[in-house]
Amino acid sequence: MLAQCRTHGYYRGENCQLCDQPGRFLMKDFEIDRVGRMMAGILRHFPERFGLQMDGRGWVDLDSFVESIKGSRENYRRWLRREHIEALVESDEKGRYQIDGGMLRATYAHSVKVNLDDLPECTLETLYFPVSEEEMDLVLEAGLRPSDRDKIHLSATPDKAYSAGRVHIADPLLLEINVKKASDAGNFIFRAGKSVYITEAVEPEHLSKFEDAEVMAKLQEEFGTSKSDDEKKARDEAAKAEEAKRAPADGDAADAEADDDPEE
């Protein structure tokens, strides 16, 4: 649920996390999900489908954004307002969007070409990026370049990088990025979310393999590996097989129902 606390502003959940008091209701969970998916699609990938003009830094007019959604989705026409988008942006735990001067934009994960060098520069010493075992040597030799996105996306901590990598890689390994060396060489890195950083590219001389075996073991235990995935799949299949054994056959169930005396 999305709501507004009178004292602490917008929040997600039943009660305000700061004062534990219920606030003014704004959106249900499924509405947050659906509108959030539309925001991501429009602001990162296809503003033109909704008749919106995006400038070179990814900004669209906020009021026009709201009207474009209402105009394309009949079920939103009655209730969606500018405040709902403002609340989604302010309560987003990943910091994926910005509102400034009546304009709205996503701050990372674009497939459309945008210039985001007005974001704050990274102040961390090290960032992290997940790769597969097969990719490791190639990336260390050639560096990082964007693939399906407009920018390289880096993580602030090893756990963020590993969990992000697990989305597409069964057993991710981690690369370290030396931020100072990259910036000194002109590969500027910008903070785009609460733990996400973006850049145009990372050269091989600014990369190294993350070698902390103890941390990697903890990450594998917390977020899983291909082995733990296989073990979970085997347990799930065994549980389903056991449940199927215990369930009566269709004919047995029908006989049992026929023998049951409704008067008893």
Side-chain angles (χ1 to χ4, degrees):
M1 184 179 82
L2 179 60
Q4 182 183 30
C5 172
R6 291 183 178 180
T7 304
H8 302 110
Y10 300 117
Y11 67 90
R12 301 189 189 193
E14 294 299 321
N15 293 329
C16 172
Q17 289 82 1
L18 296 177
C19 63
D20 199 32
Q21 295 298 311
R24 178 172 64 92
F25 170 81
L26 289 172
M27 298 173 73
K28 298 176 182 177
D29 286 339
F30 79 90
E31 293 168 337
I32 295 172
D33 180 69
R34 291 178 183 176
V35 176
R37 289 176 184 272
M38 292 183 69
M39 286 179 63
I42 294 170
L43 297 174
R44 291 170 169 173
H45 309 298
F46 41 76
E48 71 285 348
R49 293 188 195 176
F50 287 75
L52 292 168
Q53 294 291 322
M54 178 179 287
D55 73 12
R57 295 190 180 278
W59 294 103
V60 301
D61 181 78
L62 176 55
D63 290 329
S64 297
F65 177 84
V66 174
E67 292 304 315
S68 71
I69 293 180
K70 291 169 66 175
S72 63
R73 299 291 188 272
E74 186 174 353
N75 51 321
Y76 296 132
R77 291 176 188 171
R78 293 182 293 103
W79 62 269
L80 188 65
R81 300 291 183 271
R82 175 174 173 149
E83 180 186 19
H84 295 103
I85 305 302
E86 292 172 339
L88 284 171
V89 171
E90 290 188 27
S91 64
D92 181 43
E93 62 179 10
K94 295 182 179 180
R96 294 171 288 188
Y97 305 99
Q98 283 183 321
I99 292 176
D100 186 15
M103 303 293 284
L104 167 70
R105 72 172 174 180
T107 54
Y108 63 88
H110 297 82
S111 59
V112 297
K113 186 71 176 177
V114 290
N115 181 3
L116 298 171
D117 64 4
D118 56 339
L119 291 170
E121 285 193 41
C122 177
T123 58
L124 301 178
E125 295 183 358
T126 307
L127 294 171
Y128 304 88
F129 186 86
V131 294
S132 67
E133 184 176 4
E134 295 76 17
E135 295 170 326
M136 175 64 76
D137 289 342
L138 178 62
V139 173
L140 285 174
E141 180 180 345
L144 285 171
R145 298 293 184 273
S147 53
D148 58 333
R149 294 176 175 177
D150 183 49
K151 303 285 191 296
I152 299 292
H153 290 65
L154 309 172
S155 297
T157 59
D159 63 304
K160 294 294 184 182
Y162 189 92
S163 62
R166 278 281 288 164
V167 175
H168 301 292
I169 306 169
D171 296 298
L173 302 176
L174 299 183
L175 290 166
E176 290 183 325
I177 294 88
N178 187 311
V179 174
K180 186 178 187 307
K181 285 185 178 180
S183 298
D184 288 347
N187 297 130
F188 298 107
I189 301 172
F190 302 95
R191 183 179 180 181
K194 293 184 178 178
S195 63
V196 175
Y197 293 76
I198 58 173
T199 188
E200 298 285 346
V202 181
E203 301 304 326
E205 57 266 31
H206 308 141
L207 293 168
S208 60
K209 184 178 178 180
F210 181 68
E211 299 281 9
D212 193 322
E214 183 178 350
V215 170
M216 286 299 297
K218 290 179 180 178
L219 294 176
Q220 290 165 352
E221 182 178 358
E222 180 177 358
F223 297 105
T225 63
S226 59
K227 181 180 179 181
S228 65
D229 291 343
D230 291 341
E231 291 172 347
K232 182 180 184 301
K233 182 179 179 181
R235 289 195 301 269
D236 291 343
E237 290 176 349
K240 288 181 181 178
E242 185 64 28
E243 185 178 348
K245 287 181 182 179
R246 292 197 300 266
D250 292 343
D252 295 339
D255 292 341
E257 291 177 2
D259 292 339
D260 190 29
D261 187 347
E263 297 299 324
E264 290 183 353

